[in-house]
Amino acid sequence: MKKRTILGLFWLLSVSLYAQTEQTVGEFTTTSDSIEQQLPWPQQMQARLDSMMRDPMLDYTQLGLMVWDLTDDCQLFGMNQQQLLRPASTMKLVTAITALDCLGTNYQYTTSLYYKGDITDHTLQGNLYCVGGLDPSFSDTDLDAFAQSVKEQGIDTICGSIIADNTLKDTLKWGDGWCWDDDNPILRPLLVNRKDNFLMQFINALSRHDIVLKDITIKEGKADEEATLLSQHKSSIDQILLRMMKDSDNLYAESLYYQIAAQRNHPGKALYAQRQEKALIERTGLNSSRYKLADGSGLSLYNYISAECLLRLLRYAYQHKPIYKHLLPSLPIAGEDGTLKKRMIDTHAEGNVQAKTGTLTGIISLAGYCSASNGHRLCFAIINQGALSAKAARNFQDKICDILCE
């Protein structure tokens, strides 16, 4: 049974009272439309949102919806906001806000190259250690910089081992509950161009820089703590967030998820990230045991959270300005960029709504921020589940956003 908020019931009562006292003056009759226009904000908004709850799509699909006035810090509207639903890629909001809260807004990904041994006559008698930071942006250019740093050390021949240190995370290459037939990203600490072939590509880069490999052993292991740093590649959390949220990049989301996981424990495991997420959910005032958290991207079919949970996290971010300052620029803007580039065009929401989208088979979700016509800052979360027509669900959500911004 659908549940309306107290504010929604207040609006219904208001309309009922107006109807009972309808008066005719001359030839003018007070209509329901004019009554709605006479209602103050936010009752006008609530009236329009309530009318959306009669959409025929909701007869055979599930909806979780919640709207919050951040300026006055109060709930404006809710419908099944506590119902557990699959969030799809709005799960990336949970990952992003937890990471900014746990790791800090200045956090950097680090991929490093070390060596240990003696350099004699331009020959390294020893080892090179490639230490992975699960940086999804690491490219051929960055790998060439690693090879160049070997050359600049005066080394043109290597006799020993090239060792890949993948100890940042566990050995699982895929997330829990991912569909086997999806094009899933591979989760390994050492990646080049998103691919799990770092050592082979590094050997090619060394060859391009005329570095000879002699009697070389290639293997995985842990870097020697006494090894000397040759080169490092760093990526800021803002760089990761931008692509992760604007383009809904699953690899970028999972990489951030495992940065959280490895912050206190090596190797990083999904369980460790989930502990941090649940601790944050508790700080928002919710009981984290009610939710099922499985991955960082929303690919998993095991994720179950509510519109209320997403909204509480958005509210938490807004109340913690350093988090909000870094989160907001990463969100797609309606009608302008990212996954919202083609949505809400020529509506009040265009250029106003900044929100994360989510799409899985039967799941369409949207959660983020906007500004109302009176200048109040709002946050909202919408999850449509069982919606086999993605277009219908997106149109429904776009109308909701238009009402919020009108």
Side-chain angles (χ1 to χ4, degrees):
M1 180 179 178
K2 299 175 183 176
K3 299 178 181 177
R4 294 185 172 86
T5 62
I6 293 175
L7 286 172
L9 292 173
F10 169 77
W11 172 78
L12 290 173
L13 180 59
S14 298
V15 172
S16 175
L17 290 172
Y18 273 115
Q20 291 175 25
T21 58
E22 181 178 77
Q23 295 180 357
T24 301
V25 180
E27 295 183 359
F28 174 76
T29 301
T30 305
T31 67
S32 60
D33 287 341
S34 63
I35 290 172
E36 184 177 297
Q37 292 170 5
Q38 293 173 25
L39 291 172
W41 192 95
Q43 279 76 35
Q44 282 191 39
M45 178 191 297
Q46 291 157 0
R48 295 187 178 108
L49 290 177
D50 196 80
S51 69
M52 289 292 295
M53 300 305 104
R54 295 190 288 275
D55 190 298
M57 180 181 67
L58 302 185
D59 292 337
Y60 55 90
T61 64
Q62 295 171 281
L63 169 68
L65 167 64
M66 193 171 185
V67 182
W68 195 272
D69 185 333
L70 293 165
T71 303
D72 284 345
D73 198 24
C74 64
Q75 181 176 328
L76 291 177
F77 195 84
M79 176 69 76
N80 301 330
Q81 64 264 32
Q82 294 182 339
Q83 187 168 346
L84 297 181
L85 303 167
R86 290 172 178 158
S89 280
T90 53
M91 193 71 190
K92 292 181 176 70
L93 282 168
V94 182
T95 303
I97 296 170
T98 303
L100 289 167
D101 189 59
C102 174
L103 303 175
T105 56
N106 296 319
Y107 183 80
Q108 292 184 315
Y109 284 54
T110 303
T111 305
S112 306
L113 178 65
Y114 294 86
Y115 82 94
K116 185 179 182 184
D118 297 322
I119 302 174
T120 306
D121 296 329
H122 304 290
T123 298
L124 171 63
Q125 297 284 347
N127 302 329
L128 289 178
Y129 298 95
C130 305
V131 182
L134 221 174
D135 186 344
S137 68
F138 196 90
S139 67
D140 287 331
T141 301
D142 304 316
L143 204 56
D144 275 332
F146 274 18
Q148 181 62 31
S149 72
V150 176
K151 193 74 172 180
E152 291 173 354
Q153 193 67 26
I155 299 169
D156 62 22
T157 305
I158 300 172
C159 294
S161 298
I162 299 179
I163 300 170
D165 186 336
N166 282 305
T167 57
L168 177 75
K169 73 173 292 295
D170 58 24
T171 58
L172 298 176
K173 293 186 179 182
W174 297 281
D176 194 23
W178 288 8
C179 291
W180 65 270
D181 56 347
D182 278 350
D183 183 17
N184 296 320
I186 294 176
L187 308 178
R188 293 279 280 167
L190 283 169
L191 298 171
V192 181
N193 300 324
R194 306 172 67 94
K195 295 181 180 179
D196 181 25
N197 58 356
F198 189 98
L199 286 183
M200 182 181 73
Q201 294 300 325
F202 183 45
I203 290 170
N204 291 339
L206 291 171
S207 177
R208 288 194 298 272
H209 286 77
D210 300 318
I211 297 171
V212 177
L213 305 181
K214 186 177 180 181
D215 299 326
I216 280 291
T217 300
I218 300 170
K219 60 183 180 180
E220 290 199 18
K222 187 171 177 56
D224 193 305
E225 293 182 357
E226 297 180 356
T228 301
L229 179 67
L230 272 174
S231 184
Q232 278 189 332
H233 172 76
K234 292 182 179 291
S235 298
S236 71
I237 195 170
D238 288 326
Q239 291 172 299
I240 301 300
L241 282 173
L242 195 64
R243 180 161 176 175
M244 167 184 162
M245 305 299 270
K246 293 283 189 185
D247 298 339
S248 200
D249 193 297
N250 295 320
L251 176 59
Y252 277 60
E254 293 299 332
S255 77
L256 192 55
Y257 186 64
Y258 280 98
Q259 305 298 319
I260 300 168
Q263 181 68 5
R264 298 179 182 176
N265 300 279
H266 280 73
K269 298 181 179 181
L271 175 64
Y272 303 153
Q274 291 158 18
R275 287 174 180 170
Q276 296 299 320
E277 290 174 331
K278 288 188 174 184
L280 176 57
I281 289 171
E282 292 285 342
R283 291 197 291 279
T284 71
L286 297 177
N287 181 355
S288 64
S289 66
R290 294 185 60 242
Y291 309 108
K292 173 66 175 176
L293 312 175
D295 69 1
S297 61
L299 282 173
S300 177
L301 299 181
Y302 299 161
N303 291 311
Y304 276 96
I305 59 176
S306 64
E308 180 184 37
C309 182
L310 288 173
L311 186 136
R312 288 291 191 100
L313 288 168
L314 289 167
R315 175 175 174 260
Y316 180 91
Y318 180 80
Q319 291 175 334
H320 294 76
K321 295 308 179 185
I323 296 176
Y324 184 69
K325 180 181 177 181
H326 289 260
L327 176 68
L328 190 65
S330 74
L331 296 174
I333 303 172
E336 294 188 9
D337 65 17
T339 55
L340 285 178
K341 186 175 183 178
K342 297 180 180 180
R343 292 177 60 177
M344 308 181 211
I345 296 172
D346 296 329
T347 71
H348 297 91
E350 181 179 358
N352 186 335
V353 166
Q354 292 180 259
K356 183 70 199 73
T357 58
T359 304
L360 284 174
T361 301
I363 310 293
I364 300 295
S365 54
L366 185 69
Y369 302 97
C370 65
S371 293
S373 58
N374 66 347
H376 282 213
R377 198 65 175 150
L378 311 179
C379 64
F380 63 89
I382 315 168
I383 304 175
N384 290 99
Q385 182 165 287
L388 297 183
S389 172
K391 182 179 180 180
R394 290 191 181 104
N395 288 340
F396 174 84
Q397 294 175 359
D398 292 353
K399 290 176 183 176
I400 294 287
C401 290
D402 189 33
I403 291 170
L404 297 181
C405 299
E406 189 174 356

